[in-house]
Amino acid sequence: MKRLSMIFKSKANRALDKMEDPRETLDYSYQRQLELLQKVRRGVADVATSRKRVELQITGLEKQAQRYEEQGRKALSVGREDLAREALQRRSNLQTQMADLKVQHDNLQAEEEKLTTASQRLQSKVDSFRTKKETIKATYTAAEAQTRINEAFSGISEEMGDVGLAIQRAEDKTASMQARAGAIDELLASGALDDYSGTKADDIQAELDRMGGGMDVELELARMKSELGQGPAPQGAIEQGQPQQQPQQAPQQAQQQPGQTQQLRQPGEGA
């Protein structure tokens, strides 16, 4: 159970670390400090209000004690010693109350001074934390932007990875379509597939076209040989588009001419 609890805690901690944004955490901490500073200021204001209230009570008791003293003097002046004693007794009670209020006043004043000092120190810390917070946020933002730029340049970011995969898939599909188009062109040219977009190809005409292409090659080869001095120039055959047969007939004429001359000489010479 302890191991299972540790695993869950580690998983939760990792998830929280992944979800946590330091900038948001700093802003939240700053907000909490401002709330605490506001509470301290409110406490200072409450203590100061209590101190002021005690001061007003002391002032009121002092006035009332002064009035009792005047009443006692008047009573003595008219021969009423009992009234003078009563006035002085009340004045004494008021002095006792004033002494207690002064003790409370001193305590409240000391507490107010402490809270005021604490408020000033906390205000200084909050201001320092705010400056540091903004510096850390700016540094973190710059580092995050630099990291994203470097990841984009290196191609390891999620966005650029998706783009790279999309480009790779597009290139693969393009190559596949090009190969398919080339294969279909070859099949159409060989006659393995029928072209339904136009007239059906004639096998005889295709064979004649193939033979005509081969004859043109032979004629071009003969012309190149004549240019190089390796054979006669088949100009008439090239112009008429027919193969040259004169070089083959020339030897036959050459063989027939000696016979004819012999036949012509035999009747005249008799030899």
Side-chain angles (χ1 to χ4, degrees):
M1 293 299 296
K2 290 182 179 179
R3 185 178 179 184
L4 185 62
S5 176
M6 183 178 295
I7 291 174
F8 279 120
K9 288 180 180 179
S10 63
K11 295 291 185 181
N13 189 22
R14 183 177 179 181
L16 290 175
D17 289 339
K18 189 175 181 180
M19 294 173 59
E20 182 182 8
D21 189 349
R23 293 166 294 187
E24 296 178 354
T25 304
L26 291 173
D27 290 336
Y28 179 72
S29 300
Y30 178 70
Q31 187 65 30
R32 292 295 301 275
Q33 291 185 8
L34 289 179
E35 293 177 357
L36 179 60
L37 179 61
Q38 188 66 25
K39 289 181 180 179
V40 173
R41 289 178 176 177
R42 191 178 296 111
V44 173
D46 294 339
V47 172
T49 301
S50 299
R51 177 184 58 80
K52 191 64 177 178
R53 187 181 298 112
V54 171
E55 288 179 357
L56 293 176
Q57 289 178 0
I58 291 174
T59 302
L61 292 177
E62 287 178 351
K63 291 180 180 180
Q64 190 172 358
Q66 187 177 1
R67 187 169 62 252
Y68 283 149
E69 184 179 359
E70 293 176 355
Q71 290 176 356
R73 289 180 180 181
K74 289 181 180 180
L76 286 176
S77 62
V78 295
R80 295 291 304 273
E81 186 176 351
D82 54 342
L83 293 177
R85 186 178 291 108
E86 182 66 22
L88 291 176
Q89 184 64 36
R90 292 182 178 180
R91 178 175 175 271
S92 178
N93 295 333
L94 291 178
Q95 288 179 349
T96 302
Q97 294 180 8
M98 283 189 294
D100 294 338
L101 290 176
K102 286 182 180 179
V103 172
Q104 294 181 8
H105 178 269
D106 294 338
N107 293 333
L108 290 173
Q109 189 172 4
E111 188 68 21
E112 181 182 358
E113 291 176 356
K114 289 181 181 180
L115 290 176
T116 302
T117 303
S119 176
Q120 292 176 354
R121 293 176 60 185
L122 184 58
Q123 179 66 48
S124 178
K125 289 184 177 180
V126 169
D127 294 338
S128 177
F129 179 77
R130 180 181 62 186
T131 303
K132 189 174 183 180
K133 172 182 72 72
E134 295 298 330
T135 303
I136 294 174
K137 287 175 61 178
T139 305
Y140 180 83
T141 303
E144 184 181 18
Q146 186 65 34
T147 302
R148 290 182 177 178
I149 292 173
N150 293 336
E151 289 180 352
F153 285 159
S154 60
I156 63 175
S157 62
E158 294 181 359
E159 294 82 1
M160 295 304 295
D162 295 338
V163 172
L165 291 176
I167 293 174
Q168 184 64 35
R169 289 194 298 269
E171 290 179 350
D172 294 340
K173 289 183 178 180
T174 302
S176 178
M177 294 300 293
Q178 289 177 349
R180 184 177 179 84
I184 292 174
D185 289 339
E186 292 180 358
L187 293 175
L188 289 174
S190 63
L193 294 178
D194 294 334
D195 186 5
Y196 293 100
S197 62
T199 59
K200 185 176 181 180
D202 191 356
D203 298 337
I204 298 175
Q205 184 64 35
E207 184 67 20
L208 292 175
D209 293 338
R210 185 179 63 81
M211 292 177 63
M215 188 178 296
D216 292 339
V217 172
E218 293 296 332
L219 293 175
E220 185 68 19
L221 181 60
R223 185 184 63 80
M224 293 177 66
K225 287 182 179 181
S226 66
E227 291 178 356
L228 296 174
Q230 296 179 1
Q235 297 179 355
I238 294 176
E239 293 176 356
Q240 295 176 2
Q242 297 179 358
Q244 174 131 6
Q245 298 178 359
Q246 294 178 0
Q248 295 178 1
Q249 295 176 359
Q252 295 178 1
Q253 294 177 0
Q255 292 176 2
Q256 293 176 359
Q257 288 178 359
Q260 293 176 358
T261 54
Q262 291 177 2
Q263 293 176 0
L264 293 174
R265 288 179 181 178
Q266 286 176 1
E269 296 180 353

